[in-house]
Coordinates of all heavy atoms in Angstrom, one line a residue:
Q460 N 112.7 107.2 133.9 CA 113.4 108.6 133.9 C 112.9 109.4 135.0 O 111.7 109.4 135.5 CB 113.1 109.2 132.6 CG 113.5 108.5 131.3 CD 115.0 108.4 131.1 OE1 115.6 109.4 131.4 NE2 115.5 107.2 130.8
D461 N 113.8 110.3 135.6 CA 113.5 111.3 136.5 C 113.2 112.6 135.7 O 114.1 113.1 135.0 CB 114.6 111.5 137.5 CG 114.7 110.5 138.7 OD1 113.5 110.2 139.1 OD2 115.7 110.0 139.0
I462 N 112.0 113.1 135.8 CA 111.7 114.4 135.1 C 111.4 115.4 136.2 O 110.7 115.1 137.2 CB 110.4 114.1 134.3 CG1 110.8 113.0 133.2 CG2 109.9 115.4 133.6 CD1 109.6 112.6 132.4
P463 N 112.0 116.6 136.0 CA 111.8 117.7 137.0 C 110.2 117.9 137.1 O 109.5 118.0 136.2 CB 112.5 118.9 136.3 CG 113.4 118.3 135.4 CD 112.8 117.0 134.9
R464 N 109.9 118.1 138.4 CA 108.5 118.3 138.7 C 107.9 119.6 138.0 O 106.8 119.6 137.6 CB 108.3 118.5 140.2 CG 106.9 118.4 140.6 CD 106.7 118.1 142.1 NE 105.3 118.2 142.3 CZ 104.7 117.3 143.1 NH1 105.3 116.4 143.8 NH2 103.3 117.4 143.3
D465 N 108.8 120.6 137.8 CA 108.3 121.8 137.1 C 108.0 121.6 135.6 O 107.6 122.5 135.0 CB 109.2 123.0 137.4 CG 110.5 122.8 136.9 OD1 110.8 121.9 136.2 OD2 111.4 123.7 137.3
F467 N 105.8 119.6 134.7 CA 104.4 119.2 134.6 C 103.6 120.5 135.0 O 104.1 121.4 135.8 CB 104.2 118.1 135.6 CG 104.8 116.9 135.3 CD1 106.1 116.6 135.9 CD2 104.2 115.9 134.6 CE1 106.7 115.4 135.6 CE2 104.7 114.7 134.3 CZ 106.1 114.4 134.8
M471 N 98.0 119.8 137.1 CA 98.1 118.3 136.9 C 98.2 117.6 138.3 O 99.2 117.9 139.0 CB 99.2 117.9 135.9 CG 99.2 116.5 135.7 SD 100.5 116.1 134.5 CE 99.6 115.6 133.1
E472 N 97.3 116.7 138.6 CA 97.4 116.0 139.9 C 98.3 114.8 139.6 O 97.8 113.8 139.0 CB 96.0 115.6 140.3 CG 95.2 116.8 140.9 CD 93.9 116.3 141.4 OE1 93.9 115.2 142.2 OE2 92.9 117.0 141.3
L473 N 99.5 114.9 140.1 CA 100.4 113.7 139.9 C 100.3 112.7 141.0 O 100.3 112.9 142.1 CB 101.9 114.3 140.0 CG 102.2 115.4 138.9 CD1 103.6 115.9 139.2 CD2 102.1 114.8 137.5
E474 N 100.0 111.4 140.5 CA 99.9 110.3 141.4 C 100.4 109.1 140.8 O 100.4 108.9 139.5 CB 98.4 110.2 141.9 CG 97.5 109.9 140.7 CD 96.0 109.8 141.2 OE1 95.6 110.7 142.0 OE2 95.3 108.9 140.8
E475 N 100.9 108.1 141.6 CA 101.5 106.9 141.1 C 100.5 106.2 140.3 O 99.2 106.1 140.7 CB 102.0 106.0 142.2 CG 103.3 106.6 142.8 CD 103.8 105.7 144.0 OE1 103.5 104.5 144.0 OE2 104.4 106.3 144.9
G476 N 100.9 105.6 139.2 CA 100.0 104.8 138.3 C 99.3 105.7 137.2 O 98.7 105.0 136.3
L477 N 99.4 106.9 137.3 CA 98.8 107.8 136.3 C 99.5 107.7 135.0 O 100.8 107.8 135.0 CB 98.8 109.3 136.8 CG 98.2 110.3 135.8 CD1 96.7 110.1 135.7 CD2 98.5 111.7 136.3
V479 N 100.7 109.3 131.5 CA 100.9 110.6 131.0 C 101.4 110.5 129.6 O 102.4 109.7 129.4 CB 101.8 111.5 131.9 CG1 102.0 112.8 131.4 CG2 101.3 111.4 133.4
V492 N 104.1 106.0 132.6 CA 103.4 105.8 133.9 C 104.1 106.4 135.0 O 105.4 106.0 135.2 CB 103.1 104.3 134.1 CG1 102.3 104.1 135.4 CG2 102.3 103.7 133.0
I493 N 103.5 107.2 135.8 CA 104.2 107.8 137.0 C 104.4 106.7 138.0 O 103.5 106.0 138.4 CB 103.4 109.0 137.6 CG1 103.3 110.1 136.5 CG2 104.0 109.5 138.9 CD1 102.5 111.3 136.9
A494 N 105.7 106.5 138.3 CA 106.1 105.5 139.3 C 106.3 106.0 140.7 O 106.1 105.3 141.6 CB 107.3 104.8 138.7
E495 N 106.7 107.3 140.7 CA 107.0 107.9 142.1 C 106.9 109.4 142.0 O 107.4 110.0 141.0 CB 108.3 107.4 142.5 CG 108.8 107.9 143.9 CD 110.1 107.3 144.2 OE1 110.4 106.1 144.1 OE2 111.0 108.2 144.6
V496 N 106.4 110.0 142.9 CA 106.3 111.5 142.9 C 107.1 112.0 144.1 O 106.9 111.7 145.2 CB 104.8 112.0 143.0 CG1 104.7 113.5 143.1 CG2 103.9 111.4 142.0
G497 N 108.1 112.8 143.8 CA 109.0 113.4 144.8 C 108.8 114.9 144.8 O 108.0 115.4 144.0
E498 N 109.4 115.6 145.6 CA 109.3 117.1 145.8 C 109.9 117.8 144.6 O 109.4 118.8 144.2 CB 109.8 117.6 147.1 CG 109.0 117.1 148.3 CD 109.3 117.9 149.5 OE1 109.8 119.1 149.4 OE2 109.2 117.3 150.6
Q499 N 111.1 117.3 144.2 CA 111.8 117.9 143.1 C 111.6 117.2 141.7 O 111.8 117.8 140.7 CB 113.3 118.1 143.4 CG 113.6 118.7 144.7 CD 113.2 120.2 144.7 OE1 113.3 120.8 143.6 NE2 112.5 120.7 145.7
S500 N 111.4 116.0 141.7 CA 111.3 115.3 140.5 C 110.1 114.1 140.5 O 109.7 113.8 141.6 CB 112.6 114.6 140.1 OG 112.9 113.6 141.0
V501 N 109.9 113.7 139.3 CA 108.8 112.6 139.2 C 109.5 111.5 138.4 O 110.0 111.7 137.3 CB 107.6 113.2 138.5 CG1 106.6 112.1 138.2 CG2 106.9 114.3 139.1
K502 N 109.4 110.2 138.9 CA 109.9 109.1 138.2 C 108.8 108.7 137.2 O 107.7 108.3 137.7 CB 110.2 108.0 139.1 CG 111.7 107.9 139.7 CD 112.0 106.6 140.3 CE 113.2 106.7 141.1 NZ 114.3 107.3 140.6
V503 N 109.1 108.6 136.0 CA 108.2 108.1 134.9 C 108.8 106.8 134.3 O 109.9 106.8 133.9 CB 108.0 109.2 133.9 CG1 106.9 108.7 132.9 CG2 107.5 110.4 134.6
D504 N 107.9 105.8 134.3 CA 108.3 104.5 133.7 C 107.8 104.5 132.2 O 106.6 104.5 132.0 CB 107.8 103.3 134.5 CG 108.1 102.0 134.0 OD1 108.8 101.8 132.9 OD2 107.9 101.0 134.8

Side-chain angles (χ1 to χ4, degrees):
Q460 302 289 319
D461 281 316
I462 298 177
R464 192 166 179 138
D465 61 10
F467 298 89
M471 183 179 244
E472 289 187 38
L473 300 174
E474 58 185 47
E475 289 181 24
L477 178 68
V479 181
V492 176
I493 294 179
E495 186 179 306
V496 179
E498 289 195 29
Q499 301 299 319
S500 67
V501 177
K502 270 194 195 316
V503 180
D504 187 346

